[in-house]
Amino acid sequence: MIRTRFAPSPTGYLHIGGVRTALFCWLFARRHGGQFILRIDDTDQQRNVQEALAPILSGLKWLGIDWDEGPDVGGPKGPYYQSKRAGFYTAAVEELLKRGFAYRDYATTEEIQDEREAAVAEKRDYVYSRRWMAETPEQQAAFEAEGRQAVVRLKMPREGQLVLDDLIRGRVEFDWAREQDHVIQRADGSCLYHLANVVDDRAMEISHVIRAEEHLSNTPRQVFIGQSLGYEMPQYAHLPFVAEPGSKTKLSKRKLTKYLKNRDFAALVEHGQRIADAIGLETSPEEFNPVIVDFYRQIGFLPEAIVNYLALLGWSLDDRTEHFQVSELIEHFSLDRVTKAAASFDPKKLEAFQDRHMQALPLARKSAMAIPFLQRAGLIAAPAGADVEARVEAVLTAAGDRIKVAGDVLDFAEFFTPDDELVYDENAVEKRLRKPPEAVELLTKLRARLADADTFTPESLEGLMHAFIEQEQIQVGQIIHALRVAVTGKGVGLGMFETLAILGREHVLTRIDRALALV
RNA sequence: GGCCCCAUCGUCUAGCGGUCCAGGACACCGGCCUUUCACGCCGGUAACACGGGUUCGAGUCCCGUUGGGGUCACCA
């Protein structure tokens, strides 16, 4: 049975790099009919674990990354919170001690520090002298008589090599002698990350440890712990980093503000901010950020677009296939087609994927996504009536490609605003209504025609317009811009005839009257 | 600094010794379409880091150099 796991620590938000790792773990498990486990890395005992975890769980769920065991769902290998598994770790430490692969160490941090500095000064590799190592009760008693306290350290081999067969990197070799006698348990009895990790992976029967490359250097000590405990070890696969835009540096959750200075990021944030403002969404500059998954959910991105983009960040099927449904990703995903080099995150390309998925979305789903935005902006009532839904669908259809994310529907607020509340863009009014000398006259004449029109469909309106410009001996541009500003208040918008048809005759006439009064 | 990893267009990538004067996508730059915007269409600029090998033949294998990244905690 293939079992993979994702082990986030509760940081309060789901980071793009983290999701990519989770996604690869999940895809691999799903591809092979295995299981995906979520384990919470909260060994540093923060107080608000649940609060800090909620955005992570909801983010994964939103993306469709579900877990077979973990928080909310439980499972046979629980608990799935490391803070609740201390007993397993201390038992492992005892076992390591018993087998002679670990020892109690009574050195103070200052003493260790001195040894390290001495090594640096002499330009040699630092290796702990084990001067304060106590392997017998007598030695322990002697150190304790001095008032010293013990931590437990790994008794690492001082010769030989570890040969690791990484599923992505291939064969990687490490000299044991360069490894330190890492601490695995503090004086207060609490255990450290690496020990906990290995113990849990074994207890949860993880078959494949798929994680970011930063853990590659940590692998030897983990293998040592596992082997010393007699564990059967999992296979390792170290993923390349998701890097900063235009760089190879790891995307970090501590540099959110810095990324906002990136041009493409700034443009995306600006786009998001426009939507957030329209729906009265409070945004903190730190967290309303394209590095955080929730940003995308809030402004109406499609989870499948993000999954598609992220999957291609370090993995590819061939030289041309890019557009994937999640089911296709599951069908084709494999570790041996994962790249080794870091891939930098490109917001522009993510947007391109979003665009493609959005355009492929059935109208009903698009509408279901758009309606909540209109409601939050106060443009339509909370349970939307059938007539309102029909109007939303009409607007979405007419808008077509112009809707990049669901929140973009708010760019077309004029279709949901009462006529007397329509806001006229001053620049547009000046340019299209006041400045052209013939605008008022033409608009007045056209208004009369519209009032008399038999039907009010895009087709009939287009016919009406053609007849009008022919009779007036004008170019269509001479009237259509004025008309647009008159009925929408803006210089840009949807196709003119669709716009008129959706608004309907009454609103069109009322708005033209309002506009004429403005001039 | 030690150790480890990595290296094809600006970016994501294809390429697993010859079919590559290197293919696709995003971005960018032109042009077309056009009632605005968006889309669409057509075209274009643009890469095998460098140096040695191996081989009849190297983007593809080996070594080195350079560059980039990661890691060296009683953090996770």
Side-chain angles (χ1 to χ4, degrees):
Chain A
M1 173 63 85
I2 301 278
R3 284 168 63 89
T4 62
R5 49 74 169 171
F6 178 57
S9 39
T11 52
Y13 49 81
L14 189 55
H15 181 258
I16 283 287
V19 186
R20 206 280 242 95
T21 301
L23 177 64
F24 280 28
C25 289
W26 181 79
L27 285 173
F28 184 73
R30 292 289 172 261
R31 167 70 183 84
H32 297 283
Q35 290 163 334
F36 175 63
I37 290 94
L38 197 59
R39 181 174 76 219
I40 308 308
D41 237 320
D42 58 349
T43 51
D44 56 349
Q45 309 258 0
Q46 301 158 345
R47 236 160 297 141
N48 308 319
V49 171
Q50 287 308 323
E51 192 182 314
L53 187 59
I56 294 171
L57 301 188
S58 66
L60 291 172
K61 284 180 195 162
W62 179 64
L63 291 169
I65 299 174
D66 58 346
W67 52 98
D68 302 290
E69 296 171 29
D72 296 354
V73 300
K77 314 287 182 192
Y80 294 91
Y81 291 83
Q82 292 196 317
S83 60
K84 295 185 181 146
R85 302 178 60 82
F88 294 99
Y89 311 146
T90 49
V93 170
E94 289 309 315
E95 184 63 23
L96 249 11
L97 246 13
K98 198 175 108 194
R99 295 182 179 213
F101 292 118
Y103 60 88
R104 290 187 205 284
D105 183 62
Y106 288 86
T108 63
T109 45
E110 291 73 29
E111 285 159 347
I112 294 290
Q113 186 64 23
D114 289 346
E115 285 201 355
R116 184 170 275 134
E117 280 168 13
V120 171
E122 293 167 37
K123 292 191 194 307
R124 57 176 168 79
D125 292 338
Y126 164 68
V127 181
Y128 176 42
S129 66
R130 291 180 183 165
R131 244 181 89 187
W132 294 276
M133 170 173 78
E135 289 187 303
T136 65
E138 293 72 32
Q139 291 171 315
Q140 287 179 33
F143 283 128
E144 276 162 22
E146 295 176 29
R148 290 171 180 273
Q149 287 193 312
V151 296
V152 176
R153 287 181 184 277
L154 251 18
K155 194 172 185 182
M156 298 296 286
R158 293 208 163 157
E159 57 186 22
Q161 284 193 318
L162 167 65
V163 176
L164 186 71
D165 284 309
D166 189 276
L167 261 19
I168 291 170
R169 308 211 166 247
R171 184 189 175 98
V172 183
E173 299 176 6
F174 298 90
D175 288 331
W176 283 122
R178 300 202 181 277
E179 289 293 318
Q180 300 302 316
D181 285 1
H182 305 283
V183 173
I184 53 175
Q185 185 176 39
R186 300 184 182 92
D188 68 3
S190 62
C191 296
L192 276 344
Y193 172 76
H194 295 287
L195 188 271
N197 216 337
V198 174
V199 169
D200 286 341
D201 283 343
R202 174 57 188 170
M204 296 179 183
E205 295 177 15
I206 302 304
S207 63
H208 297 258
V209 171
I210 302 171
R211 54 172 28 165
E213 191 189 336
E214 60 188 302
H215 291 288
L216 186 55
S217 309
N218 299 147
T219 307
R221 80 180 82 165
Q222 296 189 186
V223 169
F224 177 75
I225 292 170
Q227 286 179 168
S228 300
L229 253 10
Y231 292 171
E232 183 189 327
M233 296 306 283
Q235 300 253 68
Y236 288 98
H238 287 93
L239 264 19
F241 289 111
V242 173
E244 298 176 358
S247 146
K248 293 296 178 195
T249 309
K250 183 177 80 162
L251 200 57
S252 156
K253 41 189 152 193
R254 295 192 180 78
K255 294 196 264 183
L256 298 178
T257 317
K258 173 187 164 191
Y259 302 140
L260 260 18
K261 295 193 179 90
N262 173 281
R263 234 183 97 197
D264 297 337
F265 264 59
L268 226 198
V269 171
E270 195 182 322
H271 182 180
Q273 192 63 52
R274 209 166 69 226
I275 295 168
D277 288 345
I279 60 175
L281 180 72
E282 291 278 333
T283 61
S284 87
E286 273 284 292
E287 293 180 16
F288 195 65
N289 190 307
V291 172
I292 297 174
V293 172
D294 207 45
F295 170 85
Y296 301 97
R297 187 184 59 73
Q298 288 179 314
I299 66 176
F301 266 73
L302 251 14
E304 55 264 46
I306 293 173
V307 165
N308 193 166
Y309 172 69
L310 254 22
L312 270 315
L313 209 54
W315 175 85
S316 67
L317 176 63
D318 53 32
D319 62 339
R320 50 196 66 251
T321 318
E322 290 212 302
H323 191 89
F324 288 92
Q325 297 303 323
V326 177
S327 59
E328 297 169 321
L329 250 14
I330 290 173
E331 182 184 345
H332 295 294
F333 185 79
S334 74
L335 251 20
D336 50 350
R337 289 201 60 87
V338 172
T339 335
K340 294 181 186 173
S344 63
F345 179 71
D346 182 356
K348 274 282 202 301
K349 190 148 186 173
L350 204 202
E351 291 178 280
F353 276 96
Q354 164 64 17
D355 201 11
R356 277 204 289 183
H357 278 87
M358 198 66 170
Q359 300 333 318
L361 201 67
L363 183 58
R365 263 196 75 194
K366 222 191 243 191
S367 169
M369 283 181 78
I371 285 173
F373 283 93
L374 292 166
Q375 290 169 331
R376 270 177 273 165
L379 291 165
I380 63 176
D387 55 330
V388 171
E389 279 186 27
R391 171 165 286 219
V392 172
E393 294 199 351
V395 170
L396 291 175
T397 302
D401 296 317
R402 296 169 181 88
I403 305 275
K404 308 293 184 198
V405 299
D408 285 342
V409 72
L410 299 172
D411 287 343
F412 307 104
E414 62 268 24
F415 290 100
F416 305 94
T417 310
D419 296 335
D420 57 352
E421 285 176 27
L422 185 67
V423 176
Y424 284 88
D425 177 74
E426 192 48 42
N427 289 333
V429 170
E430 189 61 34
K431 183 177 177 191
R432 300 300 190 186
L433 289 176
R434 286 202 259 266
K435 203 170 150 216
E438 76 284 9
V440 170
E441 185 197 339
L442 290 173
L443 200 51
T444 306
K445 285 182 180 169
L446 182 65
R447 185 201 185 282
R449 292 245 185 168
L450 291 169
D452 290 339
D454 294 328
T455 53
F456 223 76
T457 66
E459 297 73 25
S460 72
L461 289 162
E462 186 161 8
L464 181 150
M465 179 63 80
H466 279 299
F468 180 74
I469 62 174
E470 200 161 306
Q471 186 183 353
E472 295 296 325
Q473 292 290 298
I474 55 168
Q475 296 295 310
V476 70
Q478 288 175 265
I479 178 63
I480 213 157
H481 298 296
L483 179 60
R484 179 187 305 287
V485 175
V487 302
T488 67
K490 302 192 295 197
V492 299
L494 308 184
M496 193 68 255
F497 307 113
E498 282 89 349
T499 298
L500 297 174
I502 294 169
L503 285 171
R505 190 197 316 259
E506 291 313 311
H507 296 292
V508 166
L509 298 180
T510 306
R511 289 179 180 198
I512 290 175
D513 291 339
R514 261 201 76 189
L516 287 170
L518 284 175
V519 182

